[in-house]
Amino acid sequence: MRRFFVTLLIVMGNESKSTKARLLKIFRQAGKRISGEELSAALKISRTSVWKAVQGLQKSGYQIDAQKTGYLLMESNPDSLCPVEFGENEGRFVHFKTIGSTMNEARKIALKGLEESEPASKVVTADEQSEGKGRGKHLWKTTDGALAFTLVTYPKLLASQSGRALMAAQIAMANALEKVSGKRFFVRWPNDIWSEKGKVSGILDESLSVGGVCSYLNLGIGVNINQCPKIAGVDKAFDKKRGSARRESLEAFLKEYSALQELVFSDSSDLQKIWNKKNFDALKKIRAINGEKFIFLGIDPYGWATFATINGAKKTFAPGSVSYEKR
């Protein structure tokens, strides 16, 4: 099996953590001021190293009050997406408080990574996007507490198979949200995840191919977590506010996506079958922007959709080549 993302998850859930991650865990469990001497003994590092780790956490936005009597974490922030939250994997995560779009930053990272002999997968996250991207000219509005991230990978995947990565990402996100929230979610062509009430998440793929092979493949994902824009046909993933919903959803997605990677590289119909099973548009009537009416029949192994026209003829379209009036 080819490996293009599993390396990021090789220690996900491992008890071995970075110094800053272990320090943050102690602060959260203690809930009170702790002396530098106590922290030094608990972490088995010097008090100077403790102070440097505290400074690192402070620079990442954690409010830690430092006094002669010790240190106190002022606010736990359990849903933080700062790299330190991911333990030994923190070097694979890049986080922004505010950014135009994680996709734009991910592109810079991907291109820079191509200059390295063994580029590593990255996850770019942001608390707020001012120019979140959607398909075509559409923008993705980042609501308060939304999950916004882009996964940067170097899959060496055939360009003709790149649609399979998008299919796998849709399935992975639907499965992840189901496991974390307890609600049901469905995939919709070409790049959405819906609840029974409306659109919850969208995925945008971007790749650079050379000689028919993807040099990099980025997947930008936005999820309405606890709030959603006041737009018809839109929903949120969680009906009740949950303190760590963003991070749990992200970690669940990474695990689900990693588990599907073998199917991405396969030419089998297994991924197609899973996608079609999680889709609820089969045999539904759809009107395109040009006014033509179709009946959705499902997708093929590469993510192309098959429609039946009103007169019974079948047409196949690539992702993004058809826009709908309504979903």
Side-chain angles (χ1 to χ4, degrees), residues 223-257:
V223 185
N224 296 326
I225 296 293
N226 296 309
Q227 297 184 29
C228 59
K230 295 180 179 180
I231 303 173
V234 177
D235 193 21
K236 55 189 177 182
F238 294 80
D239 293 328
K240 295 181 180 180
K241 192 169 183 179
R242 185 163 172 171
S244 57
R246 286 194 310 168
R247 194 167 75 247
E248 287 184 47
S249 298
L250 174 55
E251 291 181 335
F253 166 79
L254 296 177
K255 290 178 182 178
E256 291 288 331
Y257 188 64

Side-chain angles (χ1 to χ4, degrees), residues 92-147:
R92 300 289 182 89
F93 288 79
V94 180
H95 180 68
F96 296 89
K97 184 69 178 176
T98 302
I99 195 174
S101 166
T102 59
M103 287 291 288
N104 291 342
E105 189 64 30
R107 185 184 307 114
K108 297 176 186 177
I109 292 173
L111 290 173
K112 185 176 180 181
L114 293 178
E115 301 174 1
E116 303 172 4
S117 58
E118 293 186 10
S121 299
K122 299 277 188 178
V123 181
V124 183
T125 62
D127 292 329
E128 181 182 3
Q129 293 186 123
S130 59
E131 300 175 3
K133 296 182 180 296
R135 187 171 289 276
K137 295 182 180 180
H138 295 288
L139 297 177
W140 177 274
K141 181 175 176 57
T142 306
T143 54
D144 185 36
L147 173 60

Side-chain angles (χ1 to χ4, degrees), residues 82-302:
C82 287
V84 68
E85 299 287 351
F86 302 94
E88 283 193 349
N89 285 303
E90 64 184 279
R92 300 289 182 89
F93 288 79
V94 180
H95 180 68
F96 296 89
K97 184 69 178 176
T98 302
I99 195 174
S101 166
T102 59
M103 287 291 288
N104 291 342
E105 189 64 30
R107 185 184 307 114
K108 297 176 186 177
I109 292 173
L111 290 173
K112 185 176 180 181
L114 293 178
E115 301 174 1
E116 303 172 4
S117 58
E118 293 186 10
S121 299
K122 299 277 188 178
V123 181
V124 183
T125 62
D127 292 329
E128 181 182 3
Q129 293 186 123
S130 59
E131 300 175 3
K133 296 182 180 296
R135 187 171 289 276
K137 295 182 180 180
H138 295 288
L139 297 177
W140 177 274
K141 181 175 176 57
T142 306
T143 54
D144 185 36
L147 173 60
F149 70 97
T150 297
L151 173 62
V152 180
T153 68
Y154 305 90
K156 301 302 181 183
L157 182 71
L158 292 177
S160 60
Q161 294 178 314
S162 63
R164 296 175 66 83
L166 177 58
M167 292 162 58
Q170 285 181 278
I171 296 168
M173 182 53 74
N175 287 344
L177 292 178
E178 285 183 349
K179 290 182 177 180
V180 180
S181 74
K183 293 169 59 175
R184 290 190 67 190
F185 293 92
F186 309 88
V187 298
R188 301 193 80 176
W189 191 80
N191 64 322
D192 294 344
I193 293 92
W194 280 51
S195 69
E196 294 177 333
K197 296 180 179 179
K199 180 177 177 178
V200 169
S201 174
I203 302 177
L204 185 65
D205 60 319
E206 177 183 287
S207 62
L208 173 66
S209 60
V210 179
V213 177
C214 293
S215 297
Y216 76 75
L217 193 157
N218 294 349
L219 295 166
I221 302 178
V223 185
N224 296 326
I225 296 293
N226 296 309
Q227 297 184 29
C228 59
K230 295 180 179 180
I231 303 173
V234 177
D235 193 21
K236 55 189 177 182
F238 294 80
D239 293 328
K240 295 181 180 180
K241 192 169 183 179
R242 185 163 172 171
S244 57
R246 286 194 310 168
R247 194 167 75 247
E248 287 184 47
S249 298
L250 174 55
E251 291 181 335
F253 166 79
L254 296 177
K255 290 178 182 178
E256 291 288 331
Y257 188 64
S258 181
L260 290 168
Q261 66 178 325
E262 185 174 8
L263 294 182
V264 172
F265 287 100
S266 169
D267 283 323
S268 74
S269 60
D270 291 346
L271 196 63
Q272 171 198 16
K273 291 177 180 177
I274 296 172
W275 193 98
N276 282 325
K277 189 175 181 180
K278 289 195 75 67
N279 171 259
F280 60 9
D281 286 328
L283 303 181
K284 286 185 179 180
K285 293 181 180 179
I286 294 171
R287 184 189 296 272
I289 292 296
N290 64 5
E292 192 170 359
K293 296 179 180 179
F294 298 105
I295 297 174
F296 185 79
L297 300 179
I299 64 171
D300 70 10
Y302 299 95

